[in-house]
Each structure stands twice: as structure tokens, then as C-alpha cells.
Amino acid sequence: MEVCVESVASAVAAAQGGAARLELCSALSEGGLTPSVGLLKVVKELVSIPVFVMLRPRAGNFTYTPEEVRSIQIDADALMQAGADGVVFGALTTDGAVDEEACSKVISVLPAGTPITFHRAFDWAKEPLVALEDVIKLKFHRILTSGQAATAKEGVDCLQKLINQAEGRIIIMPGCGIDSQNLQFILEKTEEVAAAAPAAPTERQAMIIIITILALIALCISKLRRHPVDKLPGPPTLPFVGNLLTFVGTPEEMFEKFNTFARDFWPLYRTWQLNTPVIHPLLPEHVEKVLASSKNTQKSRDYRFVESWLGTGLFTSNGAKWQERRKLLAPTFHLKVLEQFVPTISDNAAVLAQKLQLLLCQSPNEPIDVVPLVTLCALDIICETAMGRSIRAQHKDSKNTEYVSSIHRIMDLIVYRAMRPWLHPHWIFRVSPTGREFAKCLRTLHRFTRNVRAHFTKPTLIVQFPKEKYYYHECHLRAVLFCVFFEVK
């Protein structure tokens, strides 16, 4: 149990009373504010349990200006250097959504692996289930919440929903108004749901069992394997898993590892994914040899991870089927056809430009991460052109928030699975927490796809070129793009 304290005396008393962790702050009457460095140092000298510090520069709402975010960053750095074991903070936008930009800036100054709690700002979020996914995406470790009610007892139903949706990906920590009389009631209600959602250690246990058994077998035959690809330079490998465990980590960590290998083994190196060799060409001349070949067109086994989402359309197909789909798609990029989509592309690009201009005005001296902004713009363009549906992914008032977040999340889960060999077998993946979350996102995406497909019914001649006529559906070439990519008959 975590106890909130604001003085040395209360910290010592809580530690002696059996608290597992302290949340140190000042001005509890205001909901808690950032404590001083001196207070933290004295508390750390007197208690042996972990001490998390509140990062909140003022009382009132949780919408912060760039200057206030900067002050939180400075406080966070100072308190971590003073010995804090973790931090508790949160930020919201003016419309009640999680302020991902502000949170990312604070997280960026924390040492890697620092435990982070999103505090009760969560209870002011307008859509708690959407906010939950945002907090998970930001890599918070737990959420302190009363279930959007005055007390945790009153918000126990919301707490149940949050725990159920979290599925072990983040800790939902009930807080506010908990005492000896209602503690057992809250624990029973929340533990009932938590027990129904196995946590992430289940995957690690499965990994240990599977890899232990297979590693013993692999150890016996590893000396017999003399593959020609081993003549290429590359990092050391482990029995059976090869280099796969090397790439377990965040996307940023994996990117840095690939960069390191590129520097160490330039201009060509190999890695092993389980018993599958992977060659990494780094020179354009090497890549050209592969792409120019008519024999090396078979997709790798990793593509099977997206087949349940995209089927066997252009992205995942091979050989003759790929060539057929590619030929079907080619006319859609004729200039006469693309002209009708220019207004759509222009309108969405204008929204992107406005958002960049706004960020530049708010923080003229701060770098801007354009990747998430460009991603949303591209999603708006492809959905409106290929599917005929405007999802307004770049707008916070979009009614398709669930669809947009599901796309982002399912891509994260695909990469997560690819880097963890114990999740490669379908039967293990389906019963794992990661697999259940994948299935949930998949239902959202397929529901959207089915709704779009229902509009593609009446064939109409819309384009005629000098030598061929192309018959498409009434939604112009959107139907062709849709069918090619999503395996729609």
C-alpha cells in the first residue's frame, strides 16, 4: 500500500505502520504539490521504503503552460538526483484529454526505468477508457485514480472497467477516501476483475518454459549447424533464439541497436531470428540485387503476424497473386485519377500545417516531433481517398478516436510480438494478454472495414484509357484500393 505524506513525521509513521511505498508531496490540503529537495533528503535518510515524489507546480487544474512544464522538468531532475525512487505526475489538455506532449517532455528528463505514476489528474479526463490507452502508450507504470468519483468506494465500478481494459498492461491503483472500513470492499471488487485478467508475468513464464525446453534441444544440435550465412560478420548468437532477445526493448532501443550493428559490421551483416538467418544489406548496390530479382519475391514469415488484420492482399501476398494485385492497382495512380484526390490531400495537409504553426508559436525554441503529426495526416488522407471515409484523425473531436488508437496500438503489438519468440506460436499468442488486446483492436478495425465495404456495391465505368477500360465501384477508385489492400472480393 502507498501512503501520501507531506512531512517527515508522517513519513516515518507511515513506514513504521507497514506502508510499502510513500508518495511525498507538500500541501495535501490542495491535493498535493511538489515537495522540496530538502524534505526528500531527510525522509530518505529516515525510511528504507521507496519514496515517490509528486510533480505538480501549483494547485488548480492540470493543464500546464510550456513554462510550467519546463519547471516540472527542472524539479523532476533535481528530485531524482536527490534520491527519489519514482515520480507521480500527470497533465491534461484543455478539452480533458491526456496531454501527451507535456507528459513526454517530463518523461524525457527521467532516468531510464524510473517508475512513473499518472496521478489523479486522470479523474478529470473526459473519456477515462481513451485516457487509459494514452497513459499506457506513454509508458506509465501505474495510474492513481478514484474511478472518477469523489472516493474510490464510489468509483469502484469505473475502477473495475479500467482494470478489465488494462489487462495487466498497467497497474490501476485505487486512491482517495480509502480507510479501514472500506478497504476490504474495494479490494474484493477490484481483485475480482484483476484475477480475470492475467498480468504480463504469464508471458514471461511461458517464455521461460518454452525457451528452456527448446534451448536444451538446440544445444544438442547447434554444433552441427554450419550455415553459409555464418560466414558473414554479425553479433554473437544464442542457441535456438539466435539474436532475437537482443532486440527485446522499446522501438527507440531497437533502433539504436540496429545503428550499432550497422557501424560495427558495415556494409553487410547477419542476425538470426530463432533458426532463420536474416541478412542486413546497407549499400544501395546490395539492395538493388535483391529487388531486381524475380526469384526473391517471397515474403518473410514475419508477415504472418499481420494476416489476421490485412488478409492476403497486396501487402502480404507473393508471386503471381502479388503481380495480379499490383497490376490492378497501377491504373489508380494515373494522373487523371489522382487529380480528383488533390483537394483532399491539400485540405488535410493544411490542417497539419496549422498544427505545426501552433506548436511553433507555443514553444518556439523547442524541437517538434513531427512523426505522430504526419502519421495522423497520412491516416486522414488514406482513409478519405481509399475508403471514402473522413475519420478526422488530426482533430481531437473526432468520433473515430477508437479506430485511430486501435491502429496505433495494433502496430505496437505486432512489433512487440515479433521481438518475443515465445509469442510467435498462434496458440500461445491467442491466450496471452497481448493476444487478447490484439484481438480487441482487431475487432475495432474489422468493424470499421465492414462498414466501409458495405458502400462498395454498384459497378460503374469511371475511367477509360486509350487501350483498356477499367470498371470500378461507385466510390471511384477507392473501392479498388480497398479491395487490393484488404482482400475484399
Side-chain angles (χ1 to χ4, degrees), residues 128-344:
L129 299 183
V130 174
L132 171 63
E133 296 300 326
D134 292 337
V135 172
I136 292 174
K137 183 171 63 176
L138 288 165
K139 308 299 183 184
F140 279 79
H141 297 85
R142 56 179 61 82
I143 296 175
L144 175 62
T145 173
S146 61
Q148 299 217 318
T151 65
K153 182 178 181 180
E154 296 173 23
V156 72
D157 291 337
C158 180
L159 289 169
Q160 285 181 320
K161 293 179 181 179
L162 292 170
I163 294 173
N164 189 40
Q165 180 168 318
E167 293 185 325
R169 293 175 291 155
I170 193 171
I171 297 172
I172 305 299
M173 188 166 60
C176 190
I178 297 178
D179 54 33
S180 58
Q181 296 179 346
N182 61 31
L183 176 61
Q184 187 60 35
F185 169 79
I186 295 172
L187 288 177
E188 289 176 356
K189 295 291 287 185
T190 55
E191 284 178 355
E192 180 181 352
V193 179
T202 303
E203 293 181 6
R204 291 193 290 271
Q205 292 169 1
M207 177 224 18
I208 293 172
I209 295 172
I210 294 173
I211 290 183
T212 300
I213 295 173
L214 295 178
L216 291 175
I217 300 173
L219 280 171
C220 298
I221 63 174
S222 60
K223 292 184 179 180
L224 301 177
R225 186 189 69 186
R226 291 293 184 271
H227 198 284
V229 78
D230 284 325
K231 296 180 180 179
L232 296 175
T237 60
L238 294 174
F240 181 72
V241 296
N243 301 109
L244 204 54
L245 295 182
T246 305
F247 301 111
V248 174
T250 65
E252 292 79 10
E253 292 170 342
M254 288 188 288
F255 183 77
E256 184 56 37
K257 288 174 182 176
F258 279 120
N259 277 344
T260 301
F261 291 156
R263 289 192 297 267
D264 294 345
F265 305 114
W266 180 272
L268 186 72
Y269 70 95
R270 62 96 188 104
T271 58
W272 283 87
Q273 291 187 8
L274 299 180
N275 281 329
T276 301
V278 180
I279 299 176
H280 303 261
L282 303 174
L283 291 176
E285 294 81 1
H286 295 164
V287 177
E288 183 182 13
K289 293 292 184 181
V290 177
L291 297 182
S293 171
S294 60
K295 298 180 180 179
N296 301 314
T297 60
Q298 190 74 18
K299 300 289 177 63
S300 74
R301 294 186 302 173
D302 292 342
Y303 279 80
R304 71 186 188 276
F305 297 149
V306 300
E307 284 186 2
S308 56
W309 174 22
L310 300 179
T312 54
L314 180 68
F315 183 67
T316 56
S317 59
N318 297 286
K321 186 172 185 179
W322 181 89
Q323 293 175 346
E324 177 188 347
R325 294 302 175 94
R326 181 65 183 85
K327 184 177 180 181
L328 179 64
L329 186 65
T332 66
F333 292 97
H334 192 278
L335 289 178
K336 290 184 179 180
V337 176
L338 294 178
E339 285 176 356
Q340 62 182 299
F341 296 136
V342 170
T344 297

Side-chain angles (χ1 to χ4, degrees), residues 31 58 98 202 212 233 278 338 344 394 399 412 423 438 487:
R58 57 165 172 77
V98 174
T202 303
T212 300
V278 180
L338 294 178
T344 297
Q394 298 184 90
K399 296 180 180 179
D412 290 340
L423 292 179
F438 182 90
E487 188 69 1

Side-chain angles (χ1 to χ4, degrees), residues 439-460:
K440 181 179 179 181
C441 293
L442 201 60
R443 287 194 294 271
T444 299
L445 298 178
H446 282 177
R447 182 169 59 250
F448 182 88
T449 304
R450 286 193 297 270
N451 291 337
V452 173
R453 183 174 56 186
H455 295 286
F456 300 152
T457 53
K458 300 177 182 179
T460 306

